[in-house]
Structures are given as structure tokens and as C-alpha cells.
Amino acid sequence: MNKKMAKTGLFAAIFVLTLAFAGCQNENSKIGKKRATDSNINSEPIYTQNNTEKPTELDMPKDGVITLEVENFAKPADTLPEEKSSFLAVIAKEDTNISVQYTYNTYGKEGALFCCDLKENNETETKLQPLFATYLSQFSEENYKDTWLTTGMFLKKGENIFYLNGKDQTFPYRMTLKITFFESEKIENVILYPTEV
């Protein structure tokens, strides 16, 4: 009787270990798929300056991820900050969070800020309310698409403007962005190269 119970216990232990191993293997395969998806960050952007010259409304994919490449040549150093080129406008119906993965080339220039402001209009003037700004280290061609940074952003209801700023100067730059809209239903429009602020 004891031998029969010991044999049954041994088979039960082997069965449980087999299930546990299969479960772990299945979990690891899911992680592997997710990592493979994350590595697709180097895939070609959907929208590039080469095929977009005027304000263009972008389609929102089902997965809520838009990949784009932007490029800008520097304006004269005395260009006022409010006249600097914006490269993206996101019009939100409600406040929402997004994630931005980006790589860039500032052609070796230092002092650029990657910014997002809320554009506010009243009867007499247009104001920009700062929402996000981060300093960009001096990068050049060898870093482009090799070094990626990730940040979360909070967008407010209204028109959220993305641009590069250098306080009293403008920068030539090239940038690829992969923007994830977690709640795409809260986004009304995404416009590449909107009209000047």
C-alpha cells in the first residue's frame, strides 16, 4: 500500500513539474514576442518629410502607434521663439497620456530642447502653455537610429504643439518618433507640419 501511494505521489509530482515547466516556457515565449515587437522601433517610419510638405492629417492606426520622421533646417539665430517651427500638432478631446520613443541628430549642435506646449487662443493673442521640455544632448549622425530615448507625456484637451527650441537660436535637426496613444479615442486629430504657431 505504501509503495502504491509513493508511486502515485511520484507520478503526481512529475505531472505538476511538467505543467509548471510548460507554463514557464509559454510565459517566456510571450515575453520573447513582446521584446521582438519592441525591437521593431528601428522599422521604417510611416510618415517622413520626403513625402509630406504641407500640413497633413495623420491616420490613427488601430494599435494607437504613429511613427514619423521629421527634419528641419535652422532658421536665422535671431528668430523669435514663438516663430520657431513646430513639427506636430495633436488635438485632444480630453486630457490623456502618451509615450514617445525618439532618436535624433542635431548635427553636433548643443542646447536644443524637445518641447510640447498647449496652444491657447483668446480674442487678442495666441499663447503657448508649456507642458513638457527635455534637454537634448549633442548628437550627430552616428547616434541617429542607434540611440533611442523614451519619455511619457501628459497632453491637455486642445491643441498640443511639438517642436525643438533653442531659446535664442534655432537648430537643424532630424528626428524619428514613435508615439503611442494609450487612449486613441481621446484624440481628434494628429497633424504633421501644422501651420506656424
Side-chain angles (χ1 to χ4, degrees):
M1 182 87 171
N2 284 341
K3 283 186 178 181
K4 192 173 183 181
M5 285 180 68
K7 203 174 191 181
T8 304
L10 180 62
F11 282 124
I14 291 171
F15 180 73
V16 169
L17 286 173
T18 303
L19 284 177
F21 178 71
C24 289
Q25 201 170 27
N26 192 21
E27 283 299 313
N28 285 338
S29 66
K30 286 180 186 172
I31 290 170
K33 286 178 187 171
K34 186 175 181 197
R35 285 185 183 145
T37 302
D38 290 345
S39 71
N40 288 341
I41 194 166
N42 288 320
S43 60
E44 286 302 307
I46 298 170
Y47 301 98
T48 66
Q49 184 167 11
N50 296 339
N51 56 30
T52 307
E53 294 178 3
K54 57 186 179 181
T56 304
E57 186 175 333
L58 308 184
D59 295 325
M60 179 67 71
K62 288 182 181 177
D63 64 359
V65 177
I66 292 179
T67 304
L68 54 106
E69 183 177 46
V70 294
E71 190 169 12
N72 190 43
F73 296 107
K75 291 186 175 183
D78 58 356
T79 303
L80 297 172
E82 58 269 18
E83 293 176 6
K84 294 180 181 179
S85 296
S86 54
F87 58 79
L88 192 71
V90 177
I91 296 127
K93 300 180 212 171
E94 300 176 43
D95 294 354
T96 187
N97 290 302
I98 64 170
S99 170
V100 181
Q101 294 171 296
Y102 59 98
T103 183
Y104 63 91
N105 175 8
T106 56
Y107 299 93
K109 290 202 168 199
E110 196 170 342
L113 288 169
F114 174 31
C115 304
C116 178
D117 294 350
L118 179 66
K119 182 177 175 183
E120 297 177 318
N121 293 318
N122 62 31
E123 294 172 4
T124 58
E125 62 183 339
T126 299
K127 290 185 178 180
L128 296 177
Q129 176 193 347
L131 298 177
F132 171 86
T134 187
Y135 174 78
L136 298 182
S137 300
Q138 177 181 348
F139 273 11
S140 52
E141 190 62 36
E142 60 269 11
N143 304 108
Y144 190 61
K145 293 197 177 177
D146 236 12
T147 304
W148 287 84
L149 302 167
T150 303
T151 187
M153 288 189 196
F154 176 73
L155 302 183
K156 286 195 171 183
K157 179 181 177 179
E159 188 173 358
N160 299 268
I161 304 291
F162 292 78
Y163 62 98
L164 248 65
N165 190 359
K167 292 192 176 177
D168 58 349
Q169 61 179 314
T170 59
F171 287 85
Y173 64 86
R174 187 176 179 200
M175 196 174 210
T176 297
L177 303 100
K178 180 179 178 181
I179 304 173
T180 303
F181 296 92
F182 298 115
E183 301 167 298
S184 55
E185 70 279 2
K186 292 185 176 180
I187 304 301
E188 186 176 324
N189 284 321
V190 179
I191 301 167
L192 183 59
Y193 297 113
T195 52
E196 292 290 318
V197 176

